[in-house]
Structures are given as C-alpha cells and as structure tokens.
C-alpha cells in the first residue's frame, strides 16, 4: 500500500489537531515549546535560519551565518523544515542516531515524519521525527465533501528495528496477525492461508469454543484448535438445554472415576435403537473441573484414538459443544454423528464417560428433544 499517496489524496487527508487551536493559543504553545527546547539544548539558541544562508561544496551542504560561523552538531529549522548537521557542520541525510533515537533525513536533508518506505520496508516517524517501535494507533481523517470531517484508525506494530510488522507475530504471549498488504492489525474472522481464524477486538487470536450467531439468527458454537484454526464445523444443535420426551434410563446408579478413567456401561440393542436423529442423552454429573465427555472409538480419521464429545475441550479429539445447565449436560445424536459419523454400529460397545479430574455420573437417560 502506498501510504504517502493515500494520505495526500483530496479524499483522505491527515488533519493536525493543532489546526483547530486559535492563533493566540498556537503562539503560546510555540513560545513554551521553544523555551523548553532551548533550555534542554535540543535547539541551539542561534539556530535561526533567517540570519544566514545555505552553502555547499563537493562534500555536502552546510548553513553559514552572516558572521561566518556555521551550524555544527545540532538542529536547524529552515523553511518550516528541520535539518540536522554533523560535527563538521555538514547537513545529515539518511539514517541518523541522535541522542539515542533514530531519525531519517530525506535527500534534501529535511527530517522525515509519518510513513516512509525504505529499502522495501515501511517505517513510521512521529511528529518529532523519532522512528517508532512497538504498538502504534494511527488515526486517519477524511473529508466527506460536505464540510464535515470523518476519521478511522488502525493499530500497527513496529519491530525493534522500526520495520512495520506484517503476518503472524507473537507479542507478550499472544498471537496477532497483521495484514500483509498494509500492516494493520486484524480483528474478527479472517481467512489466512486457506484456514479460518478469529481474533478478539484487541487483535489477540482466540482458541477453543467461540459462541456466535448464524445468518439465520440461531445460536452456534465454533471450535478453534490450539493453532487457532477453525475445524470447519458449526454446531447449532443442542446448544440450549431441551426438555425430553419418551425417555429411557441408561444409568440409574453412580459411576465414579478419577482423572482420565474411562468407565461406563455396555450399549444394549435397545439403546442403539434409540440413537436416532433428534435423540439426546441427558447426563447428571459432577466433576472437579466441570468437564465430562462421552468417549467413542475413532473410526473417522487417524489423528486420535478416541473422539470425545461433551462439556469442555481437551486435545482436539472432540468438542465441548454439549448444552449444560447446572449439573446436567445434554449431548445430541447430531453432535456425536458430527464427530463420529452417523453409523451407530461404529460407536463402540460401551458408552464410556471420562473427565480430566475426579468425576461422578449419577444418572443418564436418552430421549427425544421437544
């Protein structure tokens, strides 16, 4: 993206906030600023371009005063632009480190501010000319054409070298993605290299179960694995607790287990007959972490030995899409079929429960959702 062209068009203009100040306030601010800079030594007391002239030879340009002295090792404001001179008095160009801060001076010698593309990389220099590093929110203003001004802003990240970050970046333990074209931090759903990812309003990549709403207005849950990639499935089945009819008892006495124990009951022929579209397994349970899964043999792919379906995510071998209310959770036929296929004969011979902590299943029934 050509930032310089973008900003200078008659549609998109960067308005300096100081333009809104009245003239008297401008003069007061300028007087105080100049006094601070003079005392700090940033601007020398004799850096007045009105009392001298520019001169040059084969080595470069310098600024010479009427008394024959010239500017050396300091700053000069001339024609509304800032310049810097080396210890020999020659005007600096290109990269310069001054008082521990990096600046860039154009071939004309003027100090650069704003966006600058240097050797194929983008940099940003603030209003004082200092190269920016780290996070930066940049506000752009534009004219609607009717005398009113609008604005929008983007967040960017600049490496320690000052180069604008693009692509993936891990910053303080969080993953972010910056657009490859213009470097802006992205938010929301994004397709990156063929996979879908989601980023929160602060730009951090999100993982796990994300609740959203489908285009039809239904509640839905999407699962983003540890890499941040969406598994490609939207589950809008049984995300809300449902009343059941024609129930059949599966568990009528407690089944207990410790972390990662897989215990359960044999799946009877009658149970298999009730595993039909629209059916739901309702489980009453407790566990230390609040997680509980039904565990099925994986006959769908080769990534995992088991498929876990229930409350809470684990290792990508299943989902945590179960509806739950208090110490009840409901797992629908459609949810199991989503991860294990719709061939009930391949769901195994035992209905097994599991958690990542001590757990108790008090009861379980299967019925049809109303």
């Amino acid at each position: 993206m050509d930032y310089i062209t973008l900003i200078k068009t008659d549609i998109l203009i960067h308005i300096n906030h100081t333009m809104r100040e009245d003239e008297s306030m401008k003069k007061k601010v300028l007087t105080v600023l100049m006094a601070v800079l003079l005392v700090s030594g940033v601007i020398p007391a004799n850096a007045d371009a009105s009392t001298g002239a520019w001169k040059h030879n084969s080595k470069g340009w310098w600024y010479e005063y009427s008394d024959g002295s010239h500017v050396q090792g300091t700053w000069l404001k001339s024609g509304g632009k800032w310049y810097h001179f080396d210890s020999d008095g020659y005007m600096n160009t290109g990269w310069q480190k001054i008082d521990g801060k990096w600046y860039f001076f154009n071939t004309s010698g003027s100090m650069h501010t704003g966006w600058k593309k240097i050797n194929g990389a983008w940099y940003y220099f603030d209003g004082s000319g200092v190269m920016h590093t780290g996070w930066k929110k940049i506000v752009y203003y534009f004219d609607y054409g009717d005398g009113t001004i609008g604005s929008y802003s983007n967040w960017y990240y600049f490496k320690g070298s000052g180069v604008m970050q693009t692509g993936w970046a891990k910053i303080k333990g969080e993953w972010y993605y910056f657009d490859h074209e213009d470097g802006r931090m992205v938010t929301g759903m994004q397709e990156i290299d063929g996979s879908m990812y989601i980023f929160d309003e602060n730009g951090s990549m999100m993982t796990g179960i994300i609740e959203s709403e489908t285009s039809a207005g239904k509640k839905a849950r999407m699962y983003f694995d540890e890499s941040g990639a969406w598994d490609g499935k939207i589950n809008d089945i049984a995300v809300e607790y449902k009343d059941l009819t024609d129930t059949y008892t599966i568990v009528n006495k407690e089944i207990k287990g410790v972390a990662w124990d897989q215990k359960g009951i044999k799946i009877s022929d009658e149970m298999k007959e009730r595993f039909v579209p629209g059916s739901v397994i309702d489980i009453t349970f407790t566990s230390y972490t609040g997680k509980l899964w039904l565990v099925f043999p994986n006959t769908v792919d080769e990534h995992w030995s088991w498929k876990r379906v229930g409350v809470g995510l684990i290792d990508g071998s299943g989902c945590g899409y179960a509806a739950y209310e208090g110490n009840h959770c409901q797992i629908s036929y459609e949810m199991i079929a989503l991860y294990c296929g719709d061939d009930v004969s391949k769901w195994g011979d035992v209905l097994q429960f599991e958690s990542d902590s001590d757990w108790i299943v008090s009861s379980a029934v299967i019925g049809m959702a109303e």
Side-chain angles (χ1 to χ4, degrees), residues 142-164:
F142 59 92
D143 190 341
Y144 281 108
D146 59 1
T148 59
I149 301 298
S151 67
Y152 70 94
S153 61
N154 288 323
W155 279 97
Y156 302 86
Y157 188 81
F158 299 88
K159 302 174 186 179
S161 64
V163 173
M164 180 187 74

Side-chain angles (χ1 to χ4, degrees), residues 116-366:
K116 181 72 173 178
K117 193 174 186 179
I118 305 170
N119 295 328
W122 282 101
Y123 299 80
Y124 189 83
F125 301 85
D126 64 23
S128 63
V130 176
M131 180 192 78
H132 193 82
T133 60
W135 287 102
K136 179 71 175 179
K137 183 181 182 180
I138 299 178
V139 181
Y140 300 95
Y141 297 87
F142 59 92
D143 190 341
Y144 281 108
D146 59 1
T148 59
I149 301 298
S151 67
Y152 70 94
S153 61
N154 288 323
W155 279 97
Y156 302 86
Y157 188 81
F158 299 88
K159 302 174 186 179
S161 64
V163 173
M164 180 187 74
Q165 176 71 52
T166 60
W168 289 103
K170 192 173 187 179
I171 304 169
K172 294 185 177 179
E174 297 289 335
W175 281 102
Y176 299 84
Y177 189 82
F178 300 87
D179 189 272
H180 267 296
E181 295 295 324
D182 59 23
R184 61 184 170 79
M185 180 193 78
V186 303
T187 59
M189 285 285 287
Q190 301 289 332
E191 183 175 356
I192 302 170
D193 298 329
S195 295
M196 297 299 295
Y197 299 82
I198 190 166
F199 302 84
D200 67 19
E201 61 183 7
N202 297 314
S204 297
M205 183 188 76
M206 303 173 71
T207 60
I209 295 175
I210 308 299
E211 293 191 356
S212 61
E213 196 170 272
T214 67
S215 58
K218 295 182 178 180
K219 289 184 178 180
R221 293 182 181 183
M222 304 169 70
Y223 174 59
F224 297 81
D225 64 24
E226 292 181 359
S227 73
W230 175 40
D231 65 3
K233 299 171 182 176
I234 297 178
N235 179 36
D236 59 0
I237 307 297
V239 295
E240 294 181 342
Y241 201 77
K242 300 177 181 293
D243 291 330
L244 303 181
T245 60
D246 189 24
T247 58
Y248 173 79
T249 300
I250 299 173
V251 176
N252 57 13
K253 63 179 181 180
E254 287 187 348
I255 301 175
K256 299 181 179 180
V258 297
W260 308 118
D261 268 355
Q262 293 183 357
K263 293 182 178 181
I265 59 170
K266 183 177 176 58
I267 299 177
S268 65
D269 291 338
E270 187 171 359
M271 287 170 58
K272 288 183 179 180
E273 290 176 0
R274 289 176 175 269
F275 288 155
V276 295
S279 63
V280 175
I281 300 173
D282 186 300
I283 305 168
T284 304
F285 77 100
T286 58
S287 72
Y288 183 76
T289 60
K291 297 178 181 180
L292 186 81
W293 306 284
L294 287 178
V295 185
F296 300 92
N298 182 8
T299 60
V300 178
D301 55 56
E302 299 178 354
H303 296 296
W304 309 94
S305 299
W306 303 97
K307 288 289 186 180
R308 295 175 172 87
V309 185
V311 180
L313 296 172
I314 182 59
D315 57 7
S317 64
C319 71
Y321 292 163
Y324 53 92
E325 183 177 87
N327 62 339
H328 289 264
C329 76
Q330 290 186 338
I331 302 172
S332 67
Y333 165 91
E334 286 78 7
M335 191 183 303
I336 300 171
L338 185 68
Y339 282 85
C340 302
D342 56 8
D343 187 348
V344 176
S345 66
K346 295 182 179 180
W347 289 5
D349 297 324
V350 179
L351 190 67
Q352 300 186 106
F353 303 95
E354 184 186 46
S355 179
D356 60 350
S357 62
D358 292 356
W359 57 271
I360 300 173
V361 170
S362 303
S363 66
V365 300
I366 185 171

Side-chain angles (χ1 to χ4, degrees), residues 46 48 50-55 62-72 88-90:
N46 64 343
D48 183 359
S50 65
T51 61
W54 285 97
K55 295 188 176 184
W62 72 92
Y63 193 85
E64 188 172 296
Y65 292 107
S66 55
D67 63 2
S69 64
H70 55 277
V71 183
Q72 290 178 275
D88 293 326
Y90 285 103

